[in-house]
């Protein structure tokens, strides 16, 4: 109030039931509430009312960006995008994407990432991502997605070529013990008669493979 004037607050345009205590808006539900305030001087003269509209927007919901991923070094991760429809605020959203390469201790906002989705591209180190959404006075932070980058696989070769007689049993195809990745490995073997079209050999899940007797040139590879 100016000078020695007194403020009187009202919750209706009829200006009834006034109080000198400023109201605290209720934010438990969405909607707009209008308050009215006047000034009165020592002669009892009251001014026209000024209005203050308080709009409570709904909380932002649906701000999820998928689940954790595991990729190999220098591989491209999947795009991070909304897992559900984003709603709330005033219906208009702006986005930001922070990332962390130290396990979430420090975060840096990616300057070029301003859309609802983000493609990290090729990664060579484990990186964490999350998404900020702002809408009017409302904001929300998504779940954290960790993209784990495993080391490159090495020692993946198998035995050298063999020359045998038709109907003979080849020597055991021995595979190197691989390194890299998560350190845990699974195997499958494939065969081909033309080194072009390949067929998975059922039940082959060991590091080595013993083919049966062969009557024609056959190619083998291990995944």
């Amino acid at each position: 109030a100016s000078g020695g004037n007194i403020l009187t607050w009202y919750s209706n345009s009829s200006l009834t039931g006034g109080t000198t205590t400023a109201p605290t808006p209720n934010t438990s539900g969405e909607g707009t509430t209008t308050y009215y305030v006047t000034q009165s001087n020592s002669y009892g003269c009251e001014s026209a009312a000024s209005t203050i509209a308080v709009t409570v927007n709904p909380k932002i919901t649906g701000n999820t960006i998928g689940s954790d991923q595991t990729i190999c070094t220098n591989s491209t991760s999947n795009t991070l995008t909304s897992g559900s429809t984003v709603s709330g605020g005033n219906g208009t959203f702006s986005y930001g994407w922070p990332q962390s390469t130290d396990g979430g201790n420090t975060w840096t906002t990616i300057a070029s990432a301003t859309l609802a989705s983000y493609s990290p591209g090729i990664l060579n180190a484990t990186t964490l991502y999350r998404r900020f959404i702002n809408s009017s006075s409302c904001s929300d932070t998504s779940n954290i997605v960790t993209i784990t980058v495993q080391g490159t696989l090495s020692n993946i070769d198998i035995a050298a070529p063999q020359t045998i007689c038709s109907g003979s049993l080849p020597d055991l195809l021995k595979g190197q013990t691989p390194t890299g990745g998560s350190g845990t490995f699974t195997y499958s073997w494939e065969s081909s008669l033309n080194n072009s079209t390949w067929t998975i050999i059922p039940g082959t899940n060991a590091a080595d493979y013993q083919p049966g007797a062969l009557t024609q040139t056959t190619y083998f590879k291990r995944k």
Side-chain angles (χ1 to χ4, degrees), residues 65-71 77 80 100 103-104 107 120 123 125-130 143-149:
I65 57 170
S67 55
D68 295 343
Q69 304 176 36
T70 300
I71 62 175
S77 66
L80 303 174
S100 173
W107 293 84
L123 298 177
T126 296
T127 308
L128 281 62
Y129 295 91
R130 61 188 181 189
N143 60 304
I144 295 175
V145 168
T146 301
I147 301 180
T148 301
V149 179

Side-chain angles (χ1 to χ4, degrees), residues 1-186:
S2 59
N5 293 347
I6 297 173
L7 293 180
T8 304
W9 296 85
Y10 302 91
S11 60
N12 59 83
S13 60
S14 299
L15 305 184
T16 59
T19 176
T20 57
T21 302
T24 299
N26 183 356
T27 61
S28 61
E30 61 189 76
T32 299
T33 303
T34 303
Y35 299 90
Y36 306 84
V37 61
T38 64
Q39 293 195 46
S40 299
N41 61 20
S42 59
Y43 298 102
C45 299
E46 189 172 17
S47 71
S50 295
T51 60
I52 301 175
V54 178
T55 300
V56 179
N57 288 321
K59 294 179 66 175
I60 294 173
T61 60
N63 187 16
T64 58
I65 57 170
S67 55
D68 295 343
Q69 304 176 36
T70 300
I71 62 175
C72 294
T73 300
N74 293 323
S75 296
T76 302
S77 66
N78 295 329
T79 298
L80 303 174
T81 189
S82 296
S84 56
T85 302
V86 176
S87 62
N90 65 359
T92 300
F93 309 102
S94 61
Y95 303 91
W97 290 86
Q99 67 177 3
S100 173
T101 56
D102 62 0
N105 293 316
T106 57
W107 293 84
T108 302
T109 299
I110 305 167
S112 61
T114 58
L115 301 179
S117 300
Y118 177 67
S119 297
I122 296 175
L123 298 177
N124 54 27
T126 296
T127 308
L128 281 62
Y129 295 91
R130 61 188 181 189
R131 181 177 68 180
F132 286 150
I133 296 181
N134 289 313
S135 180
S136 185
S137 59
C138 301
S139 62
D140 189 70
T141 303
S142 74
N143 60 304
I144 295 175
V145 168
T146 301
I147 301 180
T148 301
V149 179
Q150 297 182 337
T152 302
L153 292 177
S154 57
N155 289 342
I156 58 174
D157 290 334
I158 60 174
Q162 305 176 35
T163 300
I164 62 173
C165 294
S166 177
S168 299
L169 192 69
D171 293 335
L172 177 69
L173 302 181
K174 294 184 177 181
Q176 292 180 330
T177 300
T179 58
S182 66
T184 301
F185 309 100
T186 60

